[in-house]
Structures are given as C-alpha cells and as structure tokens.
Amino acid sequence: MDYKQLAKTYETPLYIYDFNQIKKRYLELKNSFAGRKSLVCYAVKANSNLSLLKLLANLGSGFDCVSFNEVRRAILAGADRYKIIYSGVGKQDSEIKDAINANILMINVESSAELDRIEEIAKSLDKIARISIRVNPNIDPKTHPYISTGLNENKFGVNINEAKKMYIKAKNSQFLNPIGIHFHIGSQLIDIMPVHEAAQIVSNLMRELKALEIDIKFFDIGGGVGIRYKDEKNVDLYEYAQGILSALKGQDETIVCEPGRFIVGESGVLLTKVLYEKVNNDKRFVVVDGAMNDLLRPSLYGAYHEIEALADGLNLSKCDIVGPICESGDFLGKDRDMPELKSGDLLVVKCAGAYGFGMASNYNSRCKAAEVAIEDGKARLIRKREKFEDLVANEIEFIGE
Ligand code: LLP
C-alpha cells in the first residue's frame, strides 16, 4: 500500500481500510458454519462506516445493532431488514417503537422490565414484536475486564431462571413472539473454550424451552472472536464452529453470530504523521498528529497496537508515541523502539479497523479523521475529514447577540 501517496492525497491522521480483507474475513466466518443454517450479523459498533456496511450487506451479511441509529445505518447501507438484530441494555421507548415498526428480525431483550416495556409498546402499535432474550451464563471469558460481559457482576442479560420466566411470559403474550436466544460473554477472546461452555449452558436452556413448546429458531452466540494485535494466537474458526455445533447436539436452529473486531480489526490502520521529537530529561517522545480522540483504545484499555515507522532512520531507541491532546493519557504507544524520526515521517498504527473511528471524539475541538477504502488496488474516500464548520454547526445559531 502506498501510504505516502495516501497521506499526500488525503492528509493525516487517516483511517485506511482494506475492503478485500474485510470480505475475506466475512466469508471465512460464514464458511466455518457451512452446511448449517447460519447468519453472520456484523456488529455495527465495531465500525459503522456506511460504505463498509454496504460492502458487507452486498455479501449477504446481517447486522447486530445497539441503537436505533445503528439500525438506520444498516438499512441505509442496503441491509435486509430480516437480517437485523437490535440489542442493548438501555433501549429508549422511541427506539423500541421504531424497531418494531421497522420490521427487523428481532429485538434482543436484556431485562424483564424491558420485556414488559416492549410488550406495552407492541400492544399500543397492535403489532407482534419478535424477540430474543440475552442470557448471562455466568462464564468468565478471560479477557480485559472492561470488555467482559458474561459474568453475574456485569450489567448484561439475565440469569437462566429469569430468562425462563421471561420466555414463558412472552409465549403467553399476544404481542410478543420469542424466536431467539442469545448470549455474548465478551470481546477479544483468544481462548474460545468459554464460548463453548456458554453455548452448552444456553443450548440446555433452549432444550428445556422447547419442551415447553417455546419454539426458538435462532441460536445467537454473540461476537467476541479475538484478533492478533501482538503475539496472540489466531482463533481456529473450525474449532470455534465445531464447539458450537457440538453444544447444540443435533438441535437445528439457525446459528447467528455477531462478529465485529474479527471482520474489520486487522483490516484497518491509522496513518499518522510525526510533528516533532522531544526529549524531557532522558525520556524520548515522538509527537504525532493522531491522538486519543482518533484512537482511544491505548488510553482507555492500555491496548497495544503495533506501530510501524515508514522512515529509513537507524539507531532504534525507546520512545512514547503521543498525540497533541492535553492529557498525559494521550498516547498511541509506550516504550516502543523507533528509529530517529523527523517531522513529516509517517507512522502506521496497525489493527485499528475495529473500535477505532467508531470511538473517536471531537475532544480538544479536533476534527475527526478522514476514512479511505482500498479495494482491488484502488483507493476511495469513504468519509470526508471533518472541518471546523462541522464542529460548530449545531451551536452556531445559539450564539447570543
Ligand atoms: N455482540 C454484542 C452483544 C456485543 O456487545 C459486542 C461487543 C459484539 C457482539 C461484538 O464483539 P466483537 O466481535 O467485536 O468482539 N471497545 C472495545 C470493545 C467493546 C465490545 C463491545 N461489545 C474495544 O475497543 O476493545
């Protein structure tokens, strides 16, 4: 990839996505469930760029959304409505109403109070809401605590007993149709055994529900498949899929999965430019034009992203790679070996396709970066760089005399 040319054309900081690799990742996952009814619902939160959603929609992907605006993005990108799932622990009434009216595949319910609310809203619309219930199997996913979701201490889903009561209630309601069962225990999972254990628990529950004539059609195993940021081992998709199939023991529901990071994570980079080098006492800093507002993961989770310098300098030495934001937590990498760098040299921050642009903010009144897609060797802009006018657009009319 000609990063220098891309930097020249589109400026930096710049997100660059390899659409061919995204396609490949989608197909790999889809094919791992070959021979079974399956639906890959890409988790829009990982990267919600419309062109990227359109690429996946064209391949037949479904979408897992966590706000009604994400549902709207998916629809705008050409998704089939019957492949859209709407999850999330705090849906607003208006969002529930819009989701029922939009006739999507199902709403994923996270509490018994929410089930009541969905029933009331469906009744007021005189419609039937298709639902699934998010079960919390109380399994430790062995990942970063901020992205672990399947333990009793986490806010997500309901326990098995509560889920059973909710399914019975839904079955007896004229306005609810329970068609799915769901779990998601965490993100960036490298060891997939916990997913298989969770699948086992939820599959047993599904069998019990069937005995009560609650006819579940979709077995949703969530997302979470991890990627290689540094030296993690690659998840074996065959093993992943086989473990799920064996947990199902012959039950033949459609398997739904909700990958985000696996599809887009390794397919994206953040390209940033060196502004200055500085040394404070003995400590070397490389100040770049990308910052925590562009890529929050290092600051928020201490996440590691490999950083490659496109510079010929020798003399490697340790440095912190930091952005221009007025926070000590504003760094993209710490203690990295880098050659001598000069203003204008480019750095490539790897594995930034997932939860990169999507978590970007305007902190310090910084404009969000542009996004570019590379497909079949050609680059195209898929989101313009923000301008000052975009930052103030919603405020300008309120300035007093
Ligand atoms: N399904 C549900 C219900 C989820 O909550 C998530 C992610 C996914 C699917 C997709 O998970 P994935 O396949 O991408 O692991 N900002 C964090 C990650 C937060 C994940 C939230 N939920 C990060 O940068 O690591």
Side-chain angles (χ1 to χ4, degrees), residues 344-369:
D345 282 342
L346 293 171
L347 302 186
V348 184
V349 184
K350 309 273 180 78
C351 284
Y355 308 107
F357 189 90
M359 291 173 77
S361 77
N362 293 117
Y363 189 37
N364 280 202
S365 283
R366 286 171 52 89
C367 295
K368 286 188 192 168

mmCIF file of all heavy atoms in Angstrom, residues 344-369:
data_model
loop_
_atom_site.group_PDB
_atom_site.id
_atom_site.type_symbol
_atom_site.label_atom_id
_atom_site.label_comp_id
_atom_site.label_asym_id
_atom_site.label_seq_id
_atom_site.Cartn_x
_atom_site.Cartn_y
_atom_site.Cartn_z
ATOM 1 N N GLY A 344 7.146 15.011 9.546
ATOM 2 C CA GLY A 344 6.640 14.588 8.235
ATOM 3 C C GLY A 344 6.757 13.086 8.011
ATOM 4 O O GLY A 344 6.101 12.545 7.118
ATOM 5 N N ASP A 345 7.581 12.393 8.813
ATOM 6 C CA ASP A 345 7.642 10.928 8.665
ATOM 7 C C ASP A 345 6.292 10.333 9.049
ATOM 8 O O ASP A 345 5.587 10.865 9.915
ATOM 9 C CB ASP A 345 8.732 10.343 9.585
ATOM 10 C CG ASP A 345 10.133 10.542 9.007
ATOM 11 O OD1 ASP A 345 10.244 10.798 7.788
ATOM 12 O OD2 ASP A 345 11.103 10.459 9.789
ATOM 13 N N LEU A 346 5.988 9.206 8.419
ATOM 14 C CA LEU A 346 4.676 8.594 8.674
ATOM 15 C C LEU A 346 4.790 7.388 9.595
ATOM 16 O O LEU A 346 5.756 6.620 9.508
ATOM 17 C CB LEU A 346 4.048 8.140 7.355
ATOM 18 C CG LEU A 346 3.663 9.270 6.396
ATOM 19 C CD1 LEU A 346 3.256 8.704 5.039
ATOM 20 C CD2 LEU A 346 2.525 10.109 6.982
ATOM 21 N N LEU A 347 3.803 7.225 10.462
ATOM 22 C CA LEU A 347 3.710 6.035 11.305
ATOM 23 C C LEU A 347 2.396 5.338 10.986
ATOM 24 O O LEU A 347 1.363 5.992 10.817
ATOM 25 C CB LEU A 347 3.734 6.400 12.793
ATOM 26 C CG LEU A 347 4.934 7.173 13.339
ATOM 27 C CD1 LEU A 347 4.821 7.291 14.859
ATOM 28 C CD2 LEU A 347 6.245 6.491 12.979
ATOM 29 N N VAL A 348 2.451 4.006 10.934
ATOM 30 C CA VAL A 348 1.242 3.221 10.659
ATOM 31 C C VAL A 348 0.847 2.503 11.946
ATOM 32 O O VAL A 348 1.603 1.681 12.458
ATOM 33 C CB VAL A 348 1.513 2.179 9.565
ATOM 34 C CG1 VAL A 348 0.229 1.429 9.208
ATOM 35 C CG2 VAL A 348 2.116 2.833 8.337
ATOM 36 N N VAL A 349 -0.320 2.849 12.462
ATOM 37 C CA VAL A 349 -0.812 2.187 13.673
ATOM 38 C C VAL A 349 -1.708 1.046 13.209
ATOM 39 O O VAL A 349 -2.733 1.276 12.546
ATOM 40 C CB VAL A 349 -1.598 3.181 14.563
ATOM 41 C CG1 VAL A 349 -2.019 2.506 15.866
ATOM 42 C CG2 VAL A 349 -0.773 4.438 14.828
ATOM 43 N N LYS A 350 -1.316 -0.175 13.545
ATOM 44 C CA LYS A 350 -1.966 -1.355 12.970
ATOM 45 C C LYS A 350 -3.217 -1.792 13.735
ATOM 46 O O LYS A 350 -3.422 -1.379 14.883
ATOM 47 C CB LYS A 350 -0.968 -2.530 12.967
ATOM 48 C CG LYS A 350 0.379 -2.232 12.344
ATOM 49 C CD LYS A 350 0.358 -2.464 10.844
ATOM 50 C CE LYS A 350 1.699 -2.171 10.203
ATOM 51 N NZ LYS A 350 2.696 -3.212 10.365
ATOM 52 N N CYS A 351 -3.961 -2.663 13.117
ATOM 53 C CA CYS A 351 -5.148 -3.279 13.744
ATOM 54 C C CYS A 351 -6.105 -2.234 14.301
ATOM 55 O O CYS A 351 -6.606 -2.372 15.430
ATOM 56 C CB CYS A 351 -4.736 -4.195 14.891
ATOM 57 S SG CYS A 351 -4.078 -5.741 14.328
ATOM 58 N N ALA A 352 -6.342 -1.190 13.530
ATOM 59 C CA ALA A 352 -7.166 -0.096 14.042
ATOM 60 C C ALA A 352 -8.539 -0.043 13.368
ATOM 61 O O ALA A 352 -9.279 0.928 13.518
ATOM 62 C CB ALA A 352 -6.425 1.230 13.838
ATOM 63 N N GLY A 353 -8.898 -1.120 12.655
ATOM 64 C CA GLY A 353 -10.173 -1.108 11.927
ATOM 65 C C GLY A 353 -11.394 -1.237 12.823
ATOM 66 O O GLY A 353 -12.486 -0.803 12.463
ATOM 67 N N ALA A 354 -11.217 -1.860 13.996
ATOM 68 C CA ALA A 354 -12.358 -2.054 14.896
ATOM 69 C C ALA A 354 -12.226 -1.161 16.118
ATOM 70 O O ALA A 354 -11.143 -1.073 16.701
ATOM 71 C CB ALA A 354 -12.429 -3.513 15.345
ATOM 72 N N TYR A 355 -13.299 -0.512 16.495
ATOM 73 C CA TYR A 355 -13.340 0.359 17.672
ATOM 74 C C TYR A 355 -12.274 1.458 17.580
ATOM 75 O O TYR A 355 -11.689 1.854 18.571
ATOM 76 C CB TYR A 355 -13.194 -0.465 18.966
ATOM 77 C CG TYR A 355 -14.185 -1.605 19.022
ATOM 78 C CD1 TYR A 355 -13.787 -2.938 18.833
ATOM 79 C CD2 TYR A 355 -15.530 -1.341 19.202
ATOM 80 C CE1 TYR A 355 -14.719 -3.971 18.833
ATOM 81 C CE2 TYR A 355 -16.467 -2.371 19.210
ATOM 82 C CZ TYR A 355 -16.050 -3.676 19.019
ATOM 83 O OH TYR A 355 -16.974 -4.690 19.019
ATOM 84 N N GLY A 356 -11.980 1.878 16.373
ATOM 85 C CA GLY A 356 -11.058 2.971 16.143
ATOM 86 C C GLY A 356 -11.881 4.213 15.850
ATOM 87 O O GLY A 356 -12.253 4.962 16.764
ATOM 88 N N PHE A 357 -12.233 4.374 14.580
ATOM 89 C CA PHE A 357 -13.025 5.558 14.215
ATOM 90 C C PHE A 357 -14.329 5.603 15.007
ATOM 91 O O PHE A 357 -14.785 6.671 15.418
ATOM 92 C CB PHE A 357 -13.329 5.584 12.712
ATOM 93 C CG PHE A 357 -13.951 6.880 12.301
ATOM 94 C CD1 PHE A 357 -13.161 7.935 11.892
ATOM 95 C CD2 PHE A 357 -15.327 7.071 12.405
ATOM 96 C CE1 PHE A 357 -13.732 9.161 11.568
ATOM 97 C CE2 PHE A 357 -15.902 8.289 12.090
ATOM 98 C CZ PHE A 357 -15.100 9.337 11.668
ATOM 99 N N GLY A 358 -14.917 4.428 15.250
ATOM 100 C CA GLY A 358 -16.212 4.368 15.947
ATOM 101 C C GLY A 358 -16.162 4.971 17.345
ATOM 102 O O GLY A 358 -17.178 5.436 17.858
ATOM 103 N N MET A 359 -15.014 4.965 17.979
ATOM 104 C CA MET A 359 -14.901 5.528 19.328
ATOM 105 C C MET A 359 -14.234 6.903 19.299
ATOM 106 O O MET A 359 -13.883 7.452 20.345
ATOM 107 C CB MET A 359 -14.103 4.573 20.231
ATOM 108 C CG MET A 359 -14.847 3.283 20.529
ATOM 109 S SD MET A 359 -13.838 2.072 21.425
ATOM 110 C CE MET A 359 -13.893 2.750 23.086
ATOM 111 N N ALA A 360 -14.069 7.444 18.119
ATOM 112 C CA ALA A 360 -13.403 8.744 18.008
ATOM 113 C C ALA A 360 -14.307 9.860 18.532
ATOM 114 O O ALA A 360 -15.533 9.727 18.543
ATOM 115 C CB ALA A 360 -13.054 9.012 16.540
ATOM 116 N N SER A 361 -13.698 10.915 18.997
ATOM 117 C CA SER A 361 -14.467 12.050 19.524
ATOM 118 C C SER A 361 -13.877 13.357 18.999
ATOM 119 O O SER A 361 -12.873 13.350 18.279
ATOM 120 C CB SER A 361 -14.420 12.046 21.051
ATOM 121 O OG SER A 361 -13.164 12.533 21.491
ATOM 122 N N ASN A 362 -14.506 14.441 19.399
ATOM 123 C CA ASN A 362 -14.011 15.758 18.992
ATOM 124 C C ASN A 362 -13.272 16.455 20.133
ATOM 125 O O ASN A 362 -13.130 17.678 20.132
ATOM 126 C CB ASN A 362 -15.169 16.639 18.507
ATOM 127 C CG ASN A 362 -15.782 16.131 17.228
ATOM 128 O OD1 ASN A 362 -16.944 15.754 17.192
ATOM 129 N ND2 ASN A 362 -14.997 16.105 16.171
ATOM 130 N N TYR A 363 -12.816 15.700 21.100
ATOM 131 C CA TYR A 363 -12.121 16.277 22.263
ATOM 132 C C TYR A 363 -11.014 17.245 21.799
ATOM 133 O O TYR A 363 -10.308 16.958 20.833
ATOM 134 C CB TYR A 363 -11.542 15.147 23.103
ATOM 135 C CG TYR A 363 -10.975 15.574 24.430
ATOM 136 C CD1 TYR A 363 -11.570 16.580 25.188
ATOM 137 C CD2 TYR A 363 -9.841 14.954 24.944
ATOM 138 C CE1 TYR A 363 -11.054 16.961 26.412
ATOM 139 C CE2 TYR A 363 -9.314 15.322 26.172
ATOM 140 C CZ TYR A 363 -9.925 16.338 26.897
ATOM 141 O OH TYR A 363 -9.411 16.707 28.109
ATOM 142 N N ASN A 364 -10.911 18.338 22.512
ATOM 143 C CA ASN A 364 -9.975 19.425 22.166
ATOM 144 C C ASN A 364 -10.353 20.101 20.841
ATOM 145 O O ASN A 364 -9.511 20.681 20.168
ATOM 146 C CB ASN A 364 -8.521 18.927 22.085
ATOM 147 C CG ASN A 364 -7.849 18.783 23.443
ATOM 148 O OD1 ASN A 364 -6.631 18.788 23.541
ATOM 149 N ND2 ASN A 364 -8.612 18.661 24.503
ATOM 150 N N SER A 365 -11.649 19.970 20.487
ATOM 151 C CA SER A 365 -12.138 20.502 19.206
ATOM 152 C C SER A 365 -11.292 20.046 18.032
ATOM 153 O O SER A 365 -10.979 20.819 17.113
ATOM 154 C CB SER A 365 -12.243 22.033 19.234
ATOM 155 O OG SER A 365 -13.403 22.383 19.961
ATOM 156 N N ARG A 366 -10.944 18.766 18.111
ATOM 157 C CA ARG A 366 -10.219 18.188 16.973
ATOM 158 C C ARG A 366 -11.223 17.588 15.991
ATOM 159 O O ARG A 366 -12.205 16.982 16.390
ATOM 160 C CB ARG A 366 -9.256 17.104 17.478
ATOM 161 C CG ARG A 366 -8.030 17.697 18.173
ATOM 162 C CD ARG A 366 -7.218 16.624 18.860
ATOM 163 N NE ARG A 366 -6.882 15.518 17.985
ATOM 164 C CZ ARG A 366 -5.793 15.459 17.210
ATOM 165 N NH1 ARG A 366 -4.926 16.460 17.207
ATOM 166 N NH2 ARG A 366 -5.567 14.411 16.453
ATOM 167 N N CYS A 367 -10.978 17.783 14.740
ATOM 168 C CA CYS A 367 -11.873 17.256 13.716
ATOM 169 C C CYS A 367 -11.596 15.770 13.535
ATOM 170 O O CYS A 367 -10.443 15.343 13.583
ATOM 171 C CB CYS A 367 -11.617 17.971 12.391
ATOM 172 S SG CYS A 367 -12.024 19.713 12.485
ATOM 173 N N LYS A 368 -12.667 14.993 13.328
ATOM 174 C CA LYS A 368 -12.440 13.560 13.128
ATOM 175 C C LYS A 368 -11.724 13.321 11.795
ATOM 176 O O LYS A 368 -11.924 14.053 10.817
ATOM 177 C CB LYS A 368 -13.760 12.812 13.162
ATOM 178 C CG LYS A 368 -14.325 12.702 14.570
ATOM 179 C CD LYS A 368 -15.523 11.785 14.601
ATOM 180 C CE LYS A 368 -16.249 11.907 15.924
ATOM 181 N NZ LYS A 368 -17.567 11.255 15.871
ATOM 182 N N ALA A 369 -10.916 12.251 11.803
ATOM 183 C CA ALA A 369 -10.092 11.916 10.637
ATOM 184 C C ALA A 369 -10.954 11.540 9.432
ATOM 185 O O ALA A 369 -12.131 11.214 9.578
ATOM 186 C CB ALA A 369 -9.191 10.732 11.000
#
